[in-house]
Amino acid sequence: MLTTELLGSIESGKNDAALTALYGADKLDFQRARYAKAVKAFAELYGEKEVNVFTVAGRSEISGNHTDHNYGCVIAASIDLDIIAVAAKTEGNEIRIKSEGFPEDVVDSADETIDEARFFTSGAIISGVCKGFRDAGFATGGYVAYTTSNVLKGSGLSSSAAFEDMVGNILNYFYNDGKIDNAEIAKISQFAENKYFGKPCGLMDQVACAVGGFVAIDFGVPGKPVIEKMDFDLTANGYSLCIVSTGGNHADLNEDYASVPAEMKAVAAHFGKPVLREVSMEQLVAAIPVLREKVGDRAILRAYHFIHENARVKAQTAALRENRLGDFFAGVLASGNSSFEYLQNVYTTKNVHEQGLSLALALAQDYLADKGGAWRVHGGGFAGTTQAFVRNEDVPGYRALMDGAFGEGACIVLKVRPVGAGKVL
């Protein structure tokens, strides 16, 4: 559909069914205006072209806190915040992407050069995704795109992974007839981030953004994760997913984040293993006297968390598969408690006066304890966000409580959506 035709179609409501299916009726007016604005921005940049609109979801970690880096198991979910792209296929190999609020990236999709000077740039991501497509035997080519995202940066909802998946999502539909599995696109996105962007990330974010719904991932075999998408419908069960931003200071936390995998791997190394996935609880407990001297108590506690967390994820996966909501919530609470007590990633010891996550969790516990649901630290921890599963009728009160403590807009109310990456229009 030509740009002007698509804009008229959106503004007249002809695409309301597609938008409602993706975002819900309560967000239709906002999304209609958002899509129309994006089409107008594309037209101002690139003129009248035959266009499509694509989406990639943000994601929320559900369980498996700090386990993927030691070949553990995780559960994550796509959410109804997303990045959308208005895009047109072009002749040649040049890819041009203008993301709202950022300079335009112009990349030769055929250029396979890995350039450290381009590390940590979106242009490097584009190059890496194109290289990954060709290595996998898929076609690449040129396109122009305008993107806009409401996946909040710094919220633990993975705005960067959504962008990576989007680059491949467009290539999938323009040059590969939409036949590439979204999990494969996620793996290519991880390759791009590792090799071309210069960041040794895991795969959870890319998979959760691309696949959609609740997804369980077992990283036990390097390079061959086992991915299971589950058909559990949180909304149909009467719950929303609430993320609370506590406004913590993220500065100088690199050492805190790096210490978690490093200490876990230090415990594994005692047993001659590269990662904790290969160490049993029996081995860990038997070696405690030696490990206390060798790696310290905190490393042992973090290993204790890892081993039990893997078992929890497997139990929660089964609970979601069988629609046992109470058992799933019990796992969320246990995961959160273990993260607080044993993993110790709810506040940094460099600044013990700032404990916003601890405060948010205490408020959640008092408010939700007799209302069902569950709550826990969200993502990497130390500062940032908490997560809660809240009955829809209790959401207004929960939001008011958290906004009152941490500022207006601190509580973001989300739905888990079944669609990860795809073409909308």
Side-chain angles (χ1 to χ4, degrees):
M1 189 177 295
L2 291 173
T3 311
T4 51
E5 294 173 336
L6 178 59
L7 179 60
S9 179
I10 293 170
E11 292 182 332
S12 67
K14 292 181 180 178
N15 303 110
D16 283 0
L19 297 180
T20 299
L22 199 56
Y23 303 102
D26 59 324
K27 296 178 181 176
L28 175 59
D29 289 343
F30 169 79
Q31 293 296 343
R32 190 192 297 129
R34 179 182 178 223
Y35 273 61
K37 181 181 177 183
V39 173
K40 291 176 184 177
F42 175 93
E44 289 174 3
L45 286 165
Y46 304 116
E48 181 82 343
K49 293 187 182 299
E50 190 78 21
V51 293
N52 292 107
V53 186
F54 302 89
T55 177
V56 176
R59 74 98 181 104
S60 178
E61 178 192 286
I62 304 299
S63 198
N65 200 209
H66 277 286
T67 58
D68 59 333
H69 45 60
N70 269 258
Y71 299 174
C73 302
V74 301
I75 300 173
S78 296
I79 57 172
D80 58 349
L81 299 180
D82 65 349
I83 179 174
I84 62 171
V86 182
K89 186 177 180 179
T90 58
E91 297 294 328
N93 293 315
E94 186 177 78
I95 292 178
R96 305 174 71 97
I97 300 179
K98 174 67 171 73
S99 298
E100 183 179 21
F102 296 91
E104 182 187 50
D105 288 299
V106 181
V107 172
D108 180 354
S109 65
D111 184 358
E112 300 185 352
T113 305
I114 297 176
D115 183 358
E116 292 188 10
R118 296 174 67 215
F119 276 7
F120 307 110
T121 68
S122 50
I125 288 293
I126 299 168
S127 295
V129 171
C130 291
K131 168 64 171 171
F133 262 62
R134 287 191 295 275
D135 285 353
F138 304 133
T140 63
Y143 63 79
V144 292
Y146 174 84
T147 78
T148 181
S149 175
N150 60 5
V151 184
L152 306 176
K153 294 183 182 296
S155 62
L157 301 175
S158 292
S159 57
S160 58
F163 175 81
E164 294 161 9
D165 286 340
M166 179 61 82
V167 176
N169 187 33
I170 298 171
L171 288 173
N172 184 22
Y173 283 93
F174 280 168
Y175 292 98
N176 298 276
D177 299 320
K179 295 179 179 178
I180 304 173
D181 184 78
N182 281 345
E184 184 66 25
I185 293 175
K187 294 175 185 177
I188 292 172
S189 295
Q190 183 201 22
F191 162 82
E193 185 160 348
N194 291 170
K195 300 299 183 181
Y196 280 74
F197 188 76
K199 182 179 177 181
C201 69
L203 184 60
M204 179 184 70
D205 292 351
Q206 290 84 356
V207 167
C209 290
V211 172
F214 283 90
V215 58
I217 315 168
D218 186 338
F219 293 102
V221 179
K224 298 180 179 180
V226 177
I227 301 168
E228 178 185 356
K229 180 176 180 177
M230 290 163 286
D231 293 326
F232 177 79
D233 190 335
L234 184 69
T235 301
N237 277 275
Y239 282 82
S240 292
L241 177 63
C242 296
I243 303 296
V244 174
S245 176
T246 62
N249 183 4
H250 285 78
D252 300 322
L253 292 179
N254 288 340
E255 184 179 336
D256 290 290
Y257 292 126
S259 70
V260 177
E263 290 183 6
M264 288 182 178
K265 289 177 181 178
V267 173
H270 169 75
F271 300 97
K273 305 295 184 182
V275 291
L276 270 178
R277 182 63 179 262
E278 301 179 26
V279 178
S280 69
M281 181 59 75
E282 291 75 17
Q283 289 175 304
L284 178 67
V285 171
I288 283 176
V290 177
L291 287 170
R292 293 191 71 193
E293 294 293 326
K294 193 172 183 179
V295 300
D297 292 339
R298 188 174 71 172
I300 299 171
L301 288 168
R302 285 175 164 172
Y304 185 92
H305 163 83
F306 174 91
I307 294 171
H308 278 303
E309 188 80 341
N310 267 350
R312 271 189 292 271
V313 168
K314 292 179 180 179
Q316 286 179 279
T317 299
L320 287 174
R321 195 185 298 126
E322 298 161 13
N323 204 37
R324 291 184 282 110
L325 192 59
D327 291 339
F328 167 70
F329 285 159
V332 173
L333 291 169
S335 175
N337 289 337
S338 181
S339 294
F340 203 155
E341 297 170 5
Y342 306 125
L343 182 61
Q344 299 178 38
N345 71 327
V346 173
Y347 61 89
T348 174
T349 56
K350 296 176 184 176
N351 183 12
V352 295
H353 297 289
E354 183 181 284
Q355 296 193 32
L357 296 182
S358 307
L359 180 57
L361 292 170
L363 290 168
Q365 179 172 316
D366 273 356
Y367 184 81
L368 297 174
D370 61 349
K371 296 179 174 67
W375 54 92
R376 51 158 285 183
V377 62
H378 182 241
F382 296 109
T385 57
T386 62
Q387 172 193 89
F389 294 89
V390 183
R391 288 187 307 187
N392 291 332
E393 58 264 36
D394 297 322
V395 166
Y398 182 80
R399 174 190 269 170
L401 174 67
M402 293 302 177
D403 283 359
F406 300 105
E408 190 68 25
C411 181
I412 308 167
V413 181
L414 305 170
K415 303 295 184 184
V416 174
R417 76 180 208 183
V419 177
K423 184 173 71 172
V424 186
L425 305 173

